[in-house]
Amino acid sequence: MSDKREKIEELRNRLTFWTDKTLGQLTISINLFITFGIGVLGYVISLKDKFEIEFFYECGCVNLISVFFLFAIFLALTSVIFGVLSIFSRVSDFRYTRHVVSTRLKFLKDHNQEF
């Protein structure tokens, strides 16, 4: 019986260790992409004075520089928005998980059951 409890405790420790590693890596990734997106967005916006934002030349041809410039702004802004949404998603997930764990602990304490 003791060997089984030790094995369960070892597996819980492993799960906790790898969960912490995964959450740390996810945090670093989200922060990296948000920082990169904000940096690119700031850089692209600082270049707006160097470009004439006209989609068509007088001859009727499409100005690809303006199109790519606005597309870069759109992509950088989209990256920042999704980064912020992922942060809010993680925070709500952590709150939900904390609530579930505290509810389970309260139930087990009230009913005198072992883990």
Side-chain angles (χ1 to χ4, degrees), residues 10-49:
E10 179 185 344
L11 290 175
R12 282 185 183 162
N13 290 338
R14 281 188 198 174
L15 179 64
T16 302
F17 174 79
W18 287 111
T19 302
D20 290 341
K21 292 286 185 184
T22 303
L23 290 175
Q25 202 61 24
L26 182 62
T27 301
I28 290 170
S29 300
I30 289 173
N31 290 340
L32 178 70
F33 283 115
I34 286 179
T35 303
F36 181 72
I38 290 172
V40 166
L41 186 62
Y43 178 71
V44 169
I45 289 175
S46 72
L47 293 176
K48 73 178 180 176
D49 296 334

Side-chain angles (χ1 to χ4, degrees), residues 34-77:
I34 286 179
T35 303
F36 181 72
I38 290 172
V40 166
L41 186 62
Y43 178 71
V44 169
I45 289 175
S46 72
L47 293 176
K48 73 178 180 176
D49 296 334
K50 295 182 180 181
F51 296 106
E52 294 178 17
I53 302 185
E54 296 178 8
F55 292 110
F56 298 103
Y57 292 116
E58 292 176 7
C59 65
C61 301
V62 176
N63 184 357
L64 290 179
I65 294 174
S66 295
V67 172
F68 287 135
F69 179 75
L70 289 177
F71 188 65
I73 289 176
F74 173 75
L75 285 181
L77 190 60

Side-chain angles (χ1 to χ4, degrees), residues 4 38-40 46 50 72-73 77 81 85 94 97 101 114:
K4 183 178 178 181
I38 290 172
V40 166
S46 72
K50 295 182 180 181
I73 289 176
L77 190 60
I81 288 170
L85 289 176
F94 289 153
T97 304
V101 170
E114 263 187 53

